[in-house]
Amino acid sequence: MESAVEELMPRLLPVGDCDLPEDFDPTVPPRTPQEYLRRVQLEAAQCPDVVVAQIDPKKLRKKQTVSVSISGCQPAPEGYSPSLKWQQQQVANFSAVRQNVNKHRNHWRSQHLDSNVTMPKSEDEEGWKKFCLGERLYSEIDTFSDNENLGIDYIKMGFPPLLSIVSRMNQATVTSVLEHLINWFGEKKFTPELGRWLYALLACLEKPLLPEAHSLIRQLARRCSEVRILEENRNEEQISALNLMICLVSRYFDQHDLADEPS
C-alpha cells in the first residue's frame, strides 16, 4: 500500500538512508536536516488515508439565501423602450458634457467652496450619502418646518454636484462615491437628487475604466432596469431618467450587452 501511494505521490524531497542516533526522539525539535525530513515522514505516515468532515445536519436545515446576478438588463416595459436615435443623442450630449468638465476642471478646482461645504472623506459612505442626497432624504423625512422656505438648506436637501465640487474629486474618490450611491440605490428608490449625482460622477469617470468602476456601472445599469420594470405608475420622466443611465453605461462606456433594443 505504501509503495502504491508513493507512485501516485512522488517524494519532492527524497530521504535516503541516514544514520540516526539510537536515542532519536521525533517529538523534540530536529537538530539536523536529516532529522527534520525523517520527522516529516513519520508525521505523514500517521495521517489517515481518508478524512470525513463532521457536519451538523441541523445547520443544513436552516433557510439559506443564494444571490443570483443576471448578466444583462431586463427589457423596458412595453412602449417605453428608447429609440436608437434618442440613445445616440444622449451619448452625444454626454460626450460634450465630459469634454467641458475636462476642459474647465482646473478652473473650477481653484474656486473657493462656500463655508458650509465640507466634503466627506472618500471612505465615509454615510457622510457622502448625506452630502449628496441630504439628511431629509437620507432619513426619509417628508415634512418641512415653517422656516425652511426662507432659503435652501443644503444640509437637509443635499448639495448638488457643482463643478466646483466634482472637479476636486480624483478618480479614487469618484469611484468610491459612485459605489456609495449605487449601494444606496440597491435598496432605495430612484430620485432626482440621486440621478443628478450619478450623471455627474459618470461624467467624471475616466476611460479606460478600472475593473472596480467597470463592475459598478454594470451594477448600476442592471439596477435601473429592475426599478424600471417595477415602475407601477409608468412615470414617463422617471423611466426616461432610468433609460438614460442604462444608455450611458451601455452605449458610451461600451457595455453593449446591457443596451436597450431600439423601439
Side-chain angles (χ1 to χ4, degrees):
M1 178 65 183
E2 183 177 353
S3 60
V5 173
E6 290 182 358
E7 290 179 2
L8 294 174
M9 301 177 64
R11 296 176 180 176
L12 296 179
L13 295 172
V15 181
D17 296 333
C18 58
D19 296 329
L20 294 176
E22 295 182 357
D23 60 346
F24 170 68
D25 185 357
T27 62
V28 300
R31 293 167 294 181
T32 65
Q34 290 81 5
E35 290 185 3
Y36 169 76
L37 294 176
R38 184 55 181 163
R39 181 176 177 180
V40 171
Q41 282 185 320
L42 294 174
E43 290 178 352
Q46 295 174 359
C47 294
D49 294 333
V50 178
V51 179
V52 179
Q54 300 298 323
I55 300 176
D56 185 359
K58 295 180 180 179
K59 294 183 179 180
L60 299 178
R61 297 194 187 104
K62 294 182 179 180
K63 185 177 180 181
Q64 299 184 23
T65 303
V66 179
S67 299
V68 179
S69 176
I70 59 175
S71 59
C73 287
Q74 298 188 31
E78 186 176 354
Y80 288 90
S81 181
S83 66
L84 180 58
K85 182 179 180 180
W86 182 88
Q87 295 183 63
Q88 291 172 337
Q89 184 61 53
Q90 302 311 313
V91 169
N93 294 343
F94 182 69
S95 179
V97 169
R98 284 173 60 90
Q99 291 177 12
N100 285 330
V101 170
N102 290 329
K103 181 178 180 180
H104 301 291
R105 184 184 300 276
N106 290 334
H107 167 74
W108 287 108
R109 185 183 296 162
S110 65
Q111 300 302 304
H112 292 290
L113 295 175
D114 292 341
S115 58
N116 64 330
V117 180
T118 303
M119 296 172 62
K121 294 183 179 180
S122 177
E123 66 277 6
D124 184 2
E125 181 169 355
E126 302 307 312
W128 274 110
K129 289 175 183 177
K130 293 179 181 179
F131 183 88
C132 299
L133 306 175
E135 292 184 353
R136 174 174 169 268
L137 181 59
Y138 179 83
S139 303
E140 298 182 338
I141 300 174
D142 295 328
T143 58
F144 289 92
S145 61
D146 294 338
N147 61 355
E148 285 183 356
N149 56 8
L150 300 177
I152 299 177
D153 186 343
Y154 287 116
I155 302 298
K156 293 184 178 179
M157 301 300 296
F159 290 92
L162 303 173
L163 285 173
S164 56
I165 293 177
V166 297
S167 295
R168 284 173 161 78
M169 297 181 178
N170 57 28
Q171 283 301 289
T173 302
V174 170
T175 303
S176 294
V177 178
L178 189 61
E179 181 179 8
H180 300 332
L181 295 183
I182 291 174
N183 287 341
W184 166 272
F185 186 33
E187 300 177 353
K188 306 292 183 178
K189 61 184 180 180
F190 188 87
T191 66
E193 296 87 350
L194 177 64
R196 285 192 289 267
W197 267 100
L198 291 174
Y199 188 95
L201 292 171
L202 290 178
C204 296
L205 204 57
E206 295 179 357
K207 296 176 70 175
L209 296 175
L210 296 174
E212 53 268 32
H214 177 272
S215 176
L216 282 172
I217 65 170
R218 289 183 63 86
Q219 181 182 342
L220 171 61
R222 288 195 293 264
R223 176 57 180 164
C224 286
S225 73
E226 294 171 359
V227 174
R228 181 179 61 181
I229 202 69
L230 296 174
E231 181 66 33
E232 297 179 355
N233 300 325
R234 293 294 185 262
N235 183 307
E236 187 171 343
E237 184 176 349
Q238 179 93 335
I239 291 181
S240 179
L242 295 169
N243 285 347
L244 176 59
M245 292 293 112
I246 298 172
C247 171
L248 297 181
V249 170
S250 60
R251 302 286 181 181
Y252 185 86
F253 290 101
D254 304 318
Q255 307 302 307
H256 299 294
D257 61 306
L258 303 179
D260 281 317
E261 293 296 330
S263 57

